[in-house]
Amino acid sequence: MKATDIRVMTKDQVQDEILKLKKEQFNLRFQKATGQVENTARIRQIRRDIARLKTVQSQQAAAK
């Protein structure tokens, strides 16, 4: 997910995407603890996507 894609989203869409990714991150943490995670790079990707979403969200809030 790129920042340009996030900037065209509405405020609610950004919040929903953050919640969705946090749930996926939670599930991946459990899979990692039990040794069942298949794609370890996905953990890093999700963490960075959440950071991107939060950054754009704070930029939009500061602009108003």
Side-chain angles (χ1 to χ4, degrees):
M1 180 176 297
K2 295 187 177 208
T4 53
D5 298 335
I6 299 168
R7 285 191 176 91
V8 297
M9 294 176 150
T10 65
K11 185 188 268 187
D12 291 334
Q13 288 175 327
V14 171
Q15 189 63 31
D16 289 342
E17 189 69 23
I18 290 173
L19 289 174
K20 184 185 87 165
L21 288 173
K22 284 192 176 239
K23 286 179 185 177
E24 187 175 350
Q25 183 182 37
F26 180 78
N27 290 331
L28 284 173
R29 275 198 313 252
F30 269 99
Q31 289 178 7
K32 183 179 179 186
T34 59
Q36 296 176 350
V37 70
E38 294 176 9
N39 186 2
T40 56
R42 182 72 179 139
I43 297 169
R44 181 179 182 182
Q45 185 180 15
I46 289 174
R47 189 173 68 238
R48 289 181 176 195
D49 283 346
I50 291 171
R52 255 185 228 104
L53 285 160
K54 286 186 173 185
T55 300
V56 171
Q57 188 179 43
S58 66
Q59 287 173 348
Q60 289 173 345
K64 292 184 178 182

